Amino acid sequence: DIWIGSVRHVMPVLQDDDVSYLTDLADDLSKSIEAHDMAGFGTALRGMAIGFARIEGNAARVSVIEVLGPQIRRFGQHSRDAFDWDASASAVAGIREAIEQRDESTTSAVLVALFDEVLPAAIDRAAAQERTPVYAD
């Protein structure tokens, strides 16, 4: 919700340099996905959200997003190998494309899918793996 608030305010007024900045941040996120770097993913995800808030000029949003850093790290620790790198890569590609097109509704929709479907599914899979006993042969 915090990020989408920035998207709503920023997308209608994006300048070319803002688009370049945000797509660079999306590329950083993509690189962490390609490397299966969970810590890098969290850092890049937070960086991209902060990027929108900075363009908006909303210091309060920047502060709130920065405070979420420990939660993002915990998510990464909890999701471990249950993370769906392919679904995340698709979401980031969608975000990048929507930014390039300066499309607020698509950017918001992809973010909602990422946070309401892709990321929670990783937590669900990780929780299921914790409940499944592993037996040595």
Side-chain angles (χ1 to χ4, degrees):
D1 291 338
I2 294 166
W3 191 348
I4 290 173
S6 284
V7 168
R8 288 185 184 135
H9 289 112
V10 165
M11 294 303 278
V13 297
L14 278 181
Q15 302 296 314
D16 290 342
D17 60 333
D18 298 327
V19 171
S20 294
Y21 170 62
L22 293 171
T23 57
D24 285 348
L25 293 172
D27 291 344
D28 292 343
L29 196 49
S30 292
K31 288 174 189 170
S32 70
I33 291 169
E34 290 169 12
H36 290 205
D37 176 3
M38 196 69 233
F41 177 83
T43 300
L45 186 66
R46 190 176 77 205
M48 189 168 201
I50 288 171
F52 272 92
R54 284 186 177 145
I55 292 169
E56 180 187 10
N58 192 326
R61 279 193 217 270
V62 170
S63 295
V64 169
I65 294 165
E66 287 175 342
V67 168
L68 295 174
Q71 290 178 318
I72 294 169
R73 277 192 296 283
R74 279 192 298 281
F75 165 80
Q77 292 168 342
H78 187 69
S79 65
R80 293 181 309 275
D81 60 342
F83 194 75
D84 188 340
W85 295 106
D86 292 335
S88 298
S90 293
V92 172
I95 293 167
R96 189 183 198 290
E97 183 177 330
I99 291 168
E100 288 176 334
Q101 295 176 4
R102 300 172 191 209
D103 185 334
E104 173 198 333
S105 61
T106 300
T107 303
S108 295
V110 176
L111 285 171
V112 167
L114 178 65
F115 283 98
D116 286 357
E117 297 168 21
V118 176
L119 300 180
I123 294 295
D124 292 345
R125 282 189 299 278
Q129 288 173 357
E130 288 175 3
R131 290 189 300 266
T132 304
V134 177
Y135 300 99
D137 291 332

